[in-house]
């Protein structure tokens, strides 16, 4: 499901949001529901709709959309001649009649991104981190004193085997890879995960057959970098000796598990052509010196030792990621969020406090943040609240108030509050700009005062500073920032930026109360 949505996003010019979507979607409390998809798209500010329509309106739908076909989540691409249906494992073409026969009418669609159209030619620099090391290894393998067709052959097949071994280890550890996922789910008879994670290929209860390709091909390629021609014979012999293992692997897939693993078959194929090449060239007639065996054994020992060190770290990181996702799902539960909200001890008089307003004053979510100009944490709180308003201007309203002692003449930052509130009495836009400048740009006090100088502080400003300070004192809010949400204290276990997870829930809760 995730990969199909990511592909849909990419084809509608939202490639930059793909990874963010996966992270938010996987940690959504309602994963993997349709609501989790649309809610995550809302969080990313991607216009979307999820509706059920009559089959008669099918031809009015956009050229591409997500839906369910026979209870399976699919990506549909329409054209005049056919309807292309893509699942997580395969793609097929259907006629309109065949499609409509099994279609339930649910549609998930997004508005294409017209602001960032892809260029006619683009180069993915991210791929360099994979391509350059491979090219460097190939160049290093070719720049040896001893060089022949067979060394190139065994170097390239060993490198390919190593890459396939990496994919197999990824699959065994549950690391998602879009390319591997397609290869491993080509049909109903293919399932790499079932074969690799079957548990029937354990060696001494510690080593798995799934790790052998990585170690064998990695050790082979490393040895070839140091001593090329003589090492070929050892690799050839080991490839021939692996033929019984290949036969067992094929029997296991065919008879025992009744599922094929394309990655395992690729490893078997590479070993077979290495063995075939070795036998056909009669490399077994070459003498294998002790130093040659030593080089291979040292390479194998180093490579296997490094893998044994890296493997538990990888597994630990994956386990931590899974735990983090579970905890995030728990934290994103709306009922949990609401249960952590506390009542304000004495709310009386709050409506008389006048601050700076951002976003919509009619939104279902009203957040009040009480800040102090000298508070470092207030910079972060204001920035998070301001960014929420910028991203969801119709869903949230933010009011900025102040908690500063009006009788403390020694506080050099009192003039900041006085200046902002005085400007706000004249021009609210200018006051917002001054507040943004202070909390986000964070200039020196003297420089800020030069840019936002006022002639005099009026009585209305002094009264508001006193009223806001007294209200905070009455509620024992002797700290900043104080965060209030819809008449309650904002849960201290959450950051303001996490409020975006619950904007839709607040809107739905209000609609329920209205009925």
């Amino acid at each position: 499901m995730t990969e199909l949505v990511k592909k849909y996003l990419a084809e509608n010019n939202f490639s930059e949001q793909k990874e963010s979507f996966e992270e938010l979607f996987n940690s959504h409390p309602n994963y993997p529901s349709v609501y989790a998809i649309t809610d995550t798209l809302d969080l990313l500010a991607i216009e979307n709709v999820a509706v059920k329509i009559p089959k008669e309106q099918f031809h009015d739908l956009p050229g591409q959309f997500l839906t369910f076909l026979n209870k399976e989540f699919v990506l549909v691409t329409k054209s005049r001649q056919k309807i292309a249906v893509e699942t997580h494992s395969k793609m097929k073409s259907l006629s309109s009649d065949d499609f409509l026969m099994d279609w339930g009418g649910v549609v998930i669609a997004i508005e294409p991104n017209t602001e960032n159209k892809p260029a006619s030619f683009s180069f993915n620099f991210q791929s360099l981190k994979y391509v350059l090391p491979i090219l460097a290894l190939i160049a290093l393998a070719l720049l040896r004193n001893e060089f022949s067709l067979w060394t190139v052959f065994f170097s390239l097949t060993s490198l390919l085997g190593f890459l396939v071994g990496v994919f197999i280890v990824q699959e065994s550890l549950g690391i998602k890879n879009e390319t591997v996922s397609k290869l491993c789910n080509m049909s109903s008879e293919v399932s790499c995960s079932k074969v690799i994670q079957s548990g029937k290929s354990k060696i001494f209860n510690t080593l798995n057959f799934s790790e052998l390709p990585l170690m064998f091909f990695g050790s082979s390629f490393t040895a070839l970098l140091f001593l090329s021609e003589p090492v070929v014979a050892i690799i050839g012999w080991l490839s021939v000796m692996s033929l019984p293992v290949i036969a067992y692997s094929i029997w296991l897939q065919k008879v025992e598990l009744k599922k094929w693993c394309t990655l395992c078959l690729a490893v078997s194929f590479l070993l077979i052509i290495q063995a075939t090449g070795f036998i056909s060239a009669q490399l077994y007639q070459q003498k294998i010196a002790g130093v040659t065996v030593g080089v291979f054994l040292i390479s194998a020992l180093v490579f296997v030792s490094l893998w044994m060190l890296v493997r538990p770290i990888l597994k630990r990181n994956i386990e931590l990621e899974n735990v983090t996702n579970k905890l995030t799902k728990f934290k994103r539960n709306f009922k949990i969020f609401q249960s952590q909200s506390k009542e304000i001890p004495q709310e009386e008089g709050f409506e008389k406090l006048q601050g700076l307003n951002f976003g919509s004053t009619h939104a279902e979510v009203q957040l009040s943040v009480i800040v102090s100009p000298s508070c470092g944490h207030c910079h972060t709180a204001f920035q998070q609240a301001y960014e929420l308003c910028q991203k969801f201007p119709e869903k949230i309203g933010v009011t900025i108030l102040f908690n500063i002692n009006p009788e403390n003449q020694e506080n050099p930052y009192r003039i900041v509050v006085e200046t902002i509130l005085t400007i706000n009495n004249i021009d609210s836009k200018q006051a917002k700009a001054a507040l943004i400048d202070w909390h986000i740009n964070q200039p020196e006090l003297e420089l800020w005062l030069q840019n936002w100088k006022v002639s005099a502080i009026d009585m209305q400003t002094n009264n508001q500073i006193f009223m806001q300070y007294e209200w905070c004192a009455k509620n024992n809010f002797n700290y900043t920032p104080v965060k209030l949400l819809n008449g309650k204290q904002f849960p201290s276990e959450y950051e303001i930026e996490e409020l975006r997870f619950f904007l839709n829930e607040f809107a739905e809760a209000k609609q329920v109360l209205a009925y």
Side-chain angles (χ1 to χ4, degrees):
M1 181 178 283
T2 306
E3 297 302 329
L4 288 177
V5 180
K6 287 170 64 177
K7 181 176 181 179
Y8 186 39
L9 290 174
E11 294 187 0
N12 285 272
N13 304 328
F14 289 105
S15 295
E16 294 181 358
Q17 284 92 333
K18 288 196 305 180
E19 299 308 317
S20 297
F21 173 86
E22 182 172 12
E23 179 183 349
L24 293 170
F25 180 60
N26 289 341
S27 63
H28 197 283
N30 299 104
Y31 170 89
S33 64
V34 171
Y35 174 71
I37 295 175
T38 57
D39 192 42
T40 303
L41 293 173
D42 286 340
L43 289 176
L44 296 173
I46 298 174
E47 291 188 33
N48 67 91
V49 62
V51 295
K52 186 172 183 178
I53 66 169
K55 293 184 178 181
E56 293 76 17
Q57 298 181 10
F58 171 73
H59 296 288
D60 298 327
L61 291 174
Q64 195 174 52
F65 57 89
L66 297 164
T67 187
F68 289 88
L69 191 66
N70 285 329
K71 298 183 179 180
E72 186 175 18
F73 190 72
V74 297
L75 173 62
V76 174
T77 304
K78 292 169 49 184
S79 65
R80 293 182 179 179
Q81 295 79 15
K82 61 181 181 180
I83 298 173
V85 177
E86 183 175 356
T87 68
H88 72 284
S89 59
K90 59 184 178 180
M91 180 179 286
K92 59 183 178 180
S93 296
L94 298 174
S95 65
S96 296
D97 292 338
D98 291 338
F99 177 83
L100 293 174
M101 185 181 300
D102 299 322
W103 183 51
V106 174
V107 174
I108 304 170
I110 63 174
E111 187 72 24
N113 184 8
T114 57
E115 296 182 2
N116 299 315
K117 292 185 178 181
S120 57
F121 174 79
S122 61
F123 183 79
N124 185 7
F125 286 95
Q126 290 294 325
S127 61
L128 286 177
K129 64 182 180 182
Y130 303 108
V131 176
L132 288 181
I134 295 174
L135 294 177
L137 288 174
I138 293 174
L140 184 60
L142 295 176
L143 292 175
R144 293 184 299 245
N145 293 327
E146 299 181 55
F147 176 84
S148 71
L149 176 63
W150 291 109
T151 57
V152 174
F153 170 76
F154 276 91
S155 296
L156 291 178
T157 51
S158 295
L159 183 57
L160 285 174
F162 174 73
L163 293 176
V164 176
V166 171
F167 292 149
I168 290 176
V169 169
Q170 282 185 330
E171 190 71 16
S172 68
L173 295 176
I175 300 174
K176 301 295 184 182
N177 185 304
E178 186 174 351
T179 303
V180 173
S181 179
K182 289 183 178 180
L183 288 173
C184 290
N185 297 280
M186 299 172 66
S187 70
S188 59
E189 297 179 350
V190 177
S191 176
C192 293
S193 59
K194 183 174 181 180
V195 176
I196 294 171
Q197 300 174 11
S198 65
K200 295 184 177 292
S201 55
K202 287 279 187 180
I203 305 175
F204 306 125
N205 293 323
T206 56
L207 193 62
N208 198 305
F209 270 130
S210 63
E211 299 170 3
L212 290 181
L214 178 75
M215 292 186 285
F216 172 70
F217 287 115
S219 301
S220 300
F221 189 80
T222 304
L224 285 166
L225 293 179
F226 291 103
L227 196 60
S228 58
E229 195 73 31
V231 173
V232 168
I234 300 176
I235 299 173
W237 274 115
L238 292 174
S239 298
V240 172
M241 294 168 63
S242 69
L243 293 178
V245 179
I246 294 173
Y248 170 72
S249 174
I250 293 174
W251 175 86
L252 183 68
Q253 296 173 64
K254 175 67 175 177
V255 179
E256 187 76 13
L257 300 175
K258 295 181 175 57
K259 290 288 184 180
W260 293 106
C261 169
T262 50
L263 297 176
C264 306
L265 294 175
V267 168
S268 299
F269 174 75
L270 289 171
L271 287 171
I272 289 172
I273 65 171
Q274 279 191 342
T276 304
F278 171 71
I279 295 172
S280 64
Q282 296 183 343
L283 291 177
Y284 56 86
Q285 294 178 354
Q286 296 186 8
K287 294 181 179 180
I288 302 175
V291 66
T292 305
V293 177
V295 168
F296 186 86
L297 290 177
I298 291 173
S299 299
L301 180 62
V302 170
F303 198 89
V304 172
S305 299
L306 287 174
W307 171 242
M308 290 301 179
L309 290 173
V310 171
R311 181 177 63 173
I313 297 174
L314 284 175
K315 288 187 174 180
R316 181 61 177 165
N317 287 340
I318 293 170
E319 290 172 359
L320 289 175
E321 184 177 347
N322 292 333
V323 170
T324 300
N325 281 336
K326 290 179 181 178
L327 292 176
T328 305
K329 285 183 181 180
F330 177 80
K331 194 175 183 182
R332 286 182 60 181
N333 187 298
F334 185 52
K335 292 181 179 178
I336 299 295
F337 178 82
Q338 285 184 309
S339 68
Q340 299 302 309
S341 302
K342 299 177 182 179
E343 298 290 338
I344 299 174
Q346 299 185 48
E347 193 174 356
E348 183 182 356
F350 182 77
E351 71 282 354
K352 297 180 181 179
L353 306 183
Q354 299 175 5
L356 282 72
N357 297 313
F358 296 83
S360 172
T361 56
H362 303 290
E364 291 81 3
V365 179
Q366 293 296 323
L367 175 69
S368 298
V369 185
I370 305 175
V371 299
S372 170
S374 59
C375 165
H377 294 294
C378 295
H379 295 320
T380 302
F382 172 79
Q383 186 168 354
Q384 290 181 0
Y386 177 70
E387 288 176 354
L388 268 181
C389 284
Q390 292 295 103
K391 199 167 186 178
F392 307 102
E394 301 301 322
K395 293 185 176 183
I396 183 172
V398 174
T399 301
I400 302 298
L401 300 168
F402 302 94
N403 184 5
I404 189 169
N405 188 348
E407 298 179 357
N408 185 1
Q409 301 294 329
E410 298 180 358
N411 187 350
Y413 296 100
R414 189 182 69 170
I415 187 63
V416 174
V417 179
E418 294 174 337
T419 300
I420 291 173
L421 289 179
T422 298
I423 297 175
N424 193 47
N425 293 333
I426 304 170
D427 188 340
S428 61
K429 290 184 178 180
Q430 283 292 97
K432 293 176 185 177
L435 185 65
I436 292 169
D437 187 28
W438 177 257
H439 282 295
I440 295 181
N441 298 330
Q442 300 178 31
E444 294 295 330
L445 177 60
E446 293 76 10
L447 179 61
W448 187 87
L449 289 174
Q450 290 177 12
N451 295 331
W452 305 100
K453 187 176 182 180
V454 293
S455 56
I457 309 301
D458 56 37
M459 185 62 68
Q460 183 180 353
T461 295
N462 288 326
N463 288 337
Q464 268 301 314
I465 292 175
F466 179 80
M467 289 171 61
Q468 293 179 25
Y469 175 75
E470 283 292 306
W471 189 86
C472 290
K474 184 171 60 176
N475 286 281
N476 292 320
F477 292 150
N478 52 2
Y479 57 89
T480 53
V482 174
K483 295 168 283 188
L484 309 174
L485 180 64
N486 289 354
K488 292 186 176 181
Q489 295 184 53
F490 192 92
S492 58
E493 294 82 4
Y494 291 80
E495 297 292 334
I496 289 178
E497 63 181 0
E498 294 176 296
L499 181 57
R500 62 193 176 119
F501 297 139
F502 308 106
L503 295 179
N504 288 339
E505 279 85 349
F506 273 109
E508 291 176 3
K510 187 171 183 178
Q511 290 176 1
V512 170
L513 290 175
Y515 287 106

